[in-house]
Structure formats: C-alpha cells, structure tokens
Amino acid sequence: MQHVEMLFRFIGGLGMFLYGMNVMADGLQKSAGNKMKHLLEFLTRNRLMGILVGAGVTAIIQSSSATTVMVVGFVNAGLMNLTQAVGVIMGANIGTTVTAWLVSMSEWGAFLKPEFFAPLLIGIGAFMMLFSKKEKIVDVSEILVGFGVLFIGLNFMSGAITPYRDAPIFSEAFRVLGRNPILGMLAGLAVTALIQSSSASVGILQTLAANGLVNWSSAVFITLGQNIGTCVTALLSSLGAHKTAKRAAVIHLLFNAIGAVVFGLLMFVVFTVNRAWASSEINSVGISMFHTFFNITNTLLLYPFGNLLVKLSGMIVKDDGEEEQAEEAFELPHIESRFLETPSFAVEGALKETVRMGELAIAHVELVFDAIRTGSQKRVDKAVRLEQNMNEYEKKMTEYLAQISKGSLTDHQRLIINDLFYTVSDLERISDHCDNLAELTQTMISDGLHFSMEAMQGFEEIAGLTVDAVKAAVLARETEKMAYVQQVVQIEDEIDDLEEDLRTQHINRLAHNECSAARGVIFLDMLSNIERISDHANNVVGYVADEKEG
C-alpha cells in the first residue's frame, strides 16, 4: 500500500509541477503583453540579434519547443527567413535553461527550499487574485501561484522518491545508462518527446538527482538526449507546412543533434578516463550548470556555421518546385495555429491579417466603382470573385479569432479580439454591398442602361468620399491613430448628407421625366449600398476608439 501511495504522490507532484509551470508561463506572457511582439520587431538578419530574441522569448514563455514551433509558423507565413530562424533557434536553447535554474533553487540554501516559501507565494498570489481587480496585479498573482505550485509539485515528487534512495533498481538503471551513451540519450529523447517539454523532463531528472539517485555520466547523456527530444514538437508542427518551414524544424534538429553527438563523444572519452567522476553523484545544480554550459557552448561552436545549417536543411528537405506554387492559391500568412502557443503573437497576427482583409475591401470598393464608371463586364466578374475571397477570409478569420479567445489573454487583448470579430464582419459586409453594386451594374450592362451626366457627377462625389472613408478606417485599424478615426466620422456625416441630397435630386428628375424608372431604381439602390459601406467603415473606427478609451 505504501508503494501505491508513493506512486500517487509522485504522479500528483508531477501534475502540480507541469500545471504550475503552465500557470506561471501564462502569467509571464500576459504580464509581458506586447513586449514579446516588440522583441520580434528588433529581429533583423543579424543572427546575433536573433539569438538574443530567441533566448528572451523562451525565458518568458518557459518553453523552447513553443518558441521553435512559433519560428516554424513565422517561416511558414513568410514573416521570417531561414537565416533569421537559425539565430532564434539557437537562442531558444539558451533561454530554456532558465527553468532548470529555477528547479535547482532548492539546493541554493535553506531559505530557498520549496517547502519554505512556496506556500507563502501561493497564499499571497491567491489573495491578490481574489481581492484585486487590476489586470497587472492579477497577472503577477498568476506568476506567484504558478511558481508556488511548481515547487510544491517538486517537493511532492522528491518526497515520493526519498524512501527509494537506496533501492538497487535506480542505481543499477542509472549505472547502465551512464555506461552506454546511446541508451542514456535515447532515454532522455523518449521522455522529452512523450511529455513535449525539455524543461519538464530536465526538471524530473533534477528531482531524481536531488535525492542522490543520478550519477554524472547518466545525467550528461540523458540531458543531451533531452535536447534532441525537444525537437520532436517542432518536427510534428511542420508536417503540414511549406518546405521552408520544414527546413526550419530540420535546422532545430540538426543544431541539437550535432551538438549532442559532439558533446556525447567528448564526454564519453572524459568519463572513460575519469571513471570516479562518471560514477559520482550529481545534484540538480550540477545538471543546471551542464545544461547551460552545453547550450551556450553549442551555440558558440555552431554560430559560424549557420549558413551551412541552412544548406544542409535544403539538402534534407528538397524543393520540388510545384507544391509551393499550388499552395499559394489563397492564404492568410499572419494567422497560424502555431502562434496560439503564445497569445500575444496570435493577437498581433490577427491584427495584421485584419488589416490585409481591409486592404482587400478597399480594392473591392475601388473595383466596383470603376465598373460602374466604365460599364466593364471584366471588372464586374472580378468584383464577384473578390466577394467570394472575402467570404472565405471572414470564415478563416472568425475561426482563428475563436481559437485565440480560448487562450490566456489580458483584458485588453480580449477586447481587441472581440472588436476584431466585429471588424471582420463589417469588412465582409462592405464586400456584400460591393457585390450588390456589381449585380446592379450587371443589370445596367445587360439592359444597355446609362446614367445621366448629373447622376454620374453625384456618383463620383459620393464614391470618392466613400473610398476615402474605407481607406482611413483601415489605416485607423492598422495604426490606432485617433486622427483617422475622426476623419472617418467626419466623412461619414458628409456622405449621409450627400446621399440625402442626391436621392432628393434624383427623385425630382424622375418626377420631371428626365430619367427612366429603370435607371432611377438602380441609381437609388446604388446610393443606398454606397451609404451603407460608409456606415460599416464608421463601425470599424468605432471599435478602435473603444480600445483606446478602454
């Protein structure tokens, strides 16, 4: 019965450790907000800057796997080239060592032992979470609670293992793994691939080491295997991606595998010469030191060969040329399921893609107005096809925004996502009105109808204002500048007044038989649709204004 209790204790501790890590990472991400977005904005073709960015982002989100998955997504979306990706991947491996140092804090001194301060952190965090309504304070409380639960979980795991410190099965197992580098690396790889986190698998190894169950040789080879195992997540993520994204995942594998092989051979020689060191016990701080030393040294060694890694990935994932062209039919490059791992990136991608949808709406408005001017059948047909694209855009964007809304967001990010739901709908409605205008133009072409000079002058005036309104609305969404918001509000008022005047003038022409009933009905319907386009543009800037006030 005691063995079952210890097993339950270990499983429960592992669960708390993983949950605490997840809660802490969520709190860190929300607390960082758009800072991670700005980190990426600093990313240039300079590989050194990429290393710093990769390390910084990974330290924040507490997962090199998540960072690399995002890199695969950026490369797949065309937002990052392979040269930039190499640097970020190198930096991600360095950033992931932060978690190992956090886990080893229990061996820094009595004051830092988990059982000493973790309950206090959870208590403080819980009170802050319950009694504060300020978003920043709630984010900090999540970090504290996650931090505390993480260490309580470690303490549970450690307590479950303590009775078995002298059990021969553990010493024998790690002795075998220590003598056989391949077995040790495979064990580390398998565990990491299974739980999809090198940080978590290193944490488990450190817990065993803290109880005196792990020797130096087995720890080194298992850690090297864990660094290879972390590549599995990115490789799986790249399965449905473009060839370039697959190459980014392969670069991650090459970088870690080459480093592991080189270090594995070197350490095998060292441990063969110094068997006493190889069989001596290692503690969690020692694992943190080796983990950090390996990743930093591996980065320094392979940094000059970044371009060679890119070439090797091209040799492994060969370009067949045709597949890439076939996949370019209709894509939304800024929205990627891989970005959902980090909500701040997902929100930023959704914003950029909404702006692209807005630019497509501008093109649609200009195209259909040009079709009215020229009576061109080709422009009418193209406008109809654009409306189909806008429908597809709305569908994909709505699905993606729904996925983002399920994630861990700040109040401001949640407000933005809610507004984007409405913005996407308004942009699609603009397209619907353009489609109505295209149908009315088609009727005019089929029936051989033409507007009078007075009607066309009125159309040109209201059409010009409407195009200006939609353009300013998209710029307001992109830049969040209130000047564009005010511009749209002013134009929309002018369009309302102008639409009423033009409607009155046209009814007078109908009353004096200066215009046929068929042309009159079409013109009035066109005015109604054009005025509705400006209304939707006004809605778009209204959401931006709400965000600024919020």
Side-chain angles (χ1 to χ4, degrees):
M1 192 66 184
Q2 181 186 5
H3 299 314
V4 175
E5 182 182 348
M6 290 298 105
L7 176 63
F8 286 177
R9 187 181 180 90
F10 183 83
I11 294 173
L14 177 60
M16 283 192 285
F17 171 67
L18 296 175
Y19 176 73
M21 186 181 295
N22 185 59
V23 172
M24 183 175 67
D26 278 349
L28 284 166
Q29 288 184 45
K30 288 193 286 186
S31 182
N34 288 332
K35 291 176 184 176
M36 284 192 291
K37 178 190 76 174
H38 297 313
L39 273 175
L40 275 184
E41 289 174 357
F42 284 115
L43 184 64
T44 65
R45 293 181 183 273
N46 186 327
R47 200 178 301 135
L48 180 59
M49 183 62 73
I51 291 173
L52 296 176
V53 170
V57 170
T58 305
I60 292 172
I61 65 178
Q62 294 284 292
S63 173
S64 61
S65 297
T67 301
T68 310
V69 165
M70 282 191 295
V71 168
V72 171
F74 286 130
V75 172
N76 191 52
L79 304 176
M80 183 186 293
N81 59 40
L82 287 176
T83 302
Q84 294 170 316
V86 171
V88 179
I89 289 168
M90 290 178 175
N93 281 12
I94 296 174
T96 196
T97 61
V98 171
T99 309
W101 283 107
L102 289 176
V103 172
S104 64
M105 282 177 64
S106 60
E107 295 188 359
W108 293 4
F111 178 75
L112 293 176
K113 286 187 178 297
E115 57 270 24
F116 182 82
F117 68 90
L120 178 64
L121 291 181
I122 294 174
I124 294 173
F127 278 110
M128 289 169 62
M129 195 178 296
L130 289 171
F131 298 110
S132 177
K133 294 183 179 179
K134 291 184 178 179
E135 186 178 0
K136 291 290 184 184
I137 294 178
V138 173
D139 293 341
V140 173
S141 70
E142 285 188 18
I143 296 171
L144 293 176
V145 170
F147 204 69
V149 172
L150 183 154
F151 278 102
I152 291 293
L154 283 173
N155 191 41
F156 264 60
M157 284 195 291
S158 181
I161 293 169
T162 301
Y164 305 101
R165 291 179 61 173
D166 299 324
I169 186 173
F170 283 106
S171 59
E172 182 63 22
F174 284 110
R175 186 183 63 80
V176 172
L177 293 175
R179 284 186 175 180
N180 193 320
I182 296 177
L183 281 180
M185 292 171 71
L186 286 175
L189 190 158
V191 173
T192 305
L194 184 65
I195 62 178
Q196 297 279 291
S197 172
S198 62
S199 296
S201 63
V202 171
I204 294 170
L205 181 65
Q206 286 179 290
T207 303
L208 295 171
N211 285 274
L213 299 175
V214 186
N215 56 47
W216 263 95
S217 58
S218 58
V220 165
F221 297 131
I222 291 172
T223 302
L224 293 176
Q226 289 168 334
N227 278 273
I228 299 175
T230 194
C231 303
V232 172
T233 308
L235 288 170
L236 292 174
S237 173
S238 71
L239 290 178
H242 289 174
K243 293 294 175 67
T244 311
K246 287 185 173 72
R247 288 171 191 150
V250 168
I251 288 172
H252 186 211
L253 177 62
L254 288 172
F255 176 73
N256 284 16
I258 291 171
V261 170
V262 171
F263 267 80
L265 290 172
L266 179 64
M267 295 307 294
F268 178 73
V269 173
V270 171
F271 289 143
T272 301
V273 174
N274 193 339
R275 293 187 180 277
W277 181 32
S279 59
S280 63
E281 290 182 2
I282 185 174
N283 56 24
S284 61
V285 175
I287 291 176
S288 298
M289 291 174 63
F290 175 74
H291 190 42
T292 305
F293 175 76
F294 165 70
N295 283 296
I296 292 177
T297 306
N298 193 34
T299 298
L300 293 174
L301 287 174
L302 295 181
Y303 178 82
F305 304 104
N307 293 331
L308 181 59
L309 289 175
V310 173
K311 290 180 180 179
L312 281 173
S313 69
M315 293 171 64
I316 295 171
V317 182
K318 295 182 180 178
D319 190 3
D320 54 19
E322 296 180 0
E323 181 183 331
E324 295 295 324
Q325 294 177 3
E327 291 177 332
E328 288 176 1
F330 185 79
E331 295 181 351
L332 280 62
H334 296 97
I335 64 172
E336 278 273 352
S337 59
R338 301 165 183 85
F339 298 165
L340 296 172
E341 293 283 342
T342 308
S344 60
F345 288 132
V347 172
E348 181 64 17
L351 279 167
K352 288 182 178 178
E353 207 56 61
T354 302
V355 171
R356 284 186 74 239
M357 186 179 180
E359 290 169 350
L360 192 60
I362 294 171
H364 203 182
V365 171
E366 291 179 329
L367 179 66
V368 77
F369 284 172
D370 202 32
I372 294 171
R373 293 187 189 97
T374 61
S376 168
Q377 184 64 52
K378 287 184 178 180
R379 287 180 171 82
V380 170
D381 293 340
K382 188 174 181 181
V384 172
R385 290 195 298 272
L386 263 180
E387 203 274 334
Q388 294 170 351
N389 280 349
M390 287 291 282
N391 287 340
E392 185 68 17
Y393 228 123
E394 183 196 28
K395 179 183 176 183
K396 290 187 176 182
M397 284 294 297
T398 301
E399 290 173 353
Y400 190 67
L401 291 170
Q403 287 180 297
I404 297 175
S405 65
K406 296 175 185 176
S408 182
L409 302 172
T410 65
D411 289 344
H412 184 64
Q413 287 171 339
R414 198 166 294 282
L415 174 62
I416 290 175
I417 292 301
N418 289 339
D419 286 344
L420 290 184
F421 271 115
Y422 295 118
T423 301
V424 166
S425 177
D426 277 295
L427 292 175
E428 196 279 330
R429 290 295 295 142
I430 287 175
S431 180
D432 285 344
H433 289 297
C434 288
D435 193 49
N436 293 342
L437 291 169
E439 288 181 7
L440 293 169
T441 306
Q442 178 67 65
T443 301
M444 291 188 65
I445 294 172
S446 300
D447 296 346
L449 301 175
H450 300 281
F451 291 137
S452 65
M453 184 179 297
E454 292 83 358
M456 284 306 297
Q457 286 176 346
F459 164 75
E460 289 292 353
E461 187 176 359
I462 196 170
L465 287 171
T466 303
V467 170
D468 289 342
V470 178
K471 286 183 176 179
V474 175
L475 283 171
R477 178 66 278 173
E478 182 178 14
T479 64
E480 298 183 352
K481 291 182 178 178
M482 290 302 293
Y484 291 119
V485 173
Q486 294 162 0
Q487 182 182 345
V488 174
V489 172
Q490 181 181 344
I491 293 175
E492 205 273 333
D493 288 339
E494 292 178 25
I495 289 175
D496 285 346
D497 293 339
L498 181 58
E499 190 261 350
E500 189 175 340
D501 290 343
L502 291 176
R503 185 177 292 274
T504 301
Q505 293 171 19
H506 200 67
I507 291 173
N508 288 335
R509 285 196 295 272
L510 285 170
H512 292 87
N513 294 320
E514 296 174 5
C515 178
S516 67
R519 288 185 297 171
V521 170
I522 291 175
F523 186 78
L524 292 175
D525 281 349
M526 283 187 172
L527 286 180
S528 179
N529 278 282
I530 291 171
E531 191 275 333
R532 291 296 294 141
I533 289 174
S534 72
D535 285 344
H536 288 294
N538 191 53
N539 289 345
V540 170
V541 298
Y543 309 135
V544 176
D546 287 343
E547 289 166 23
K548 298 294 284 186
E549 292 173 4

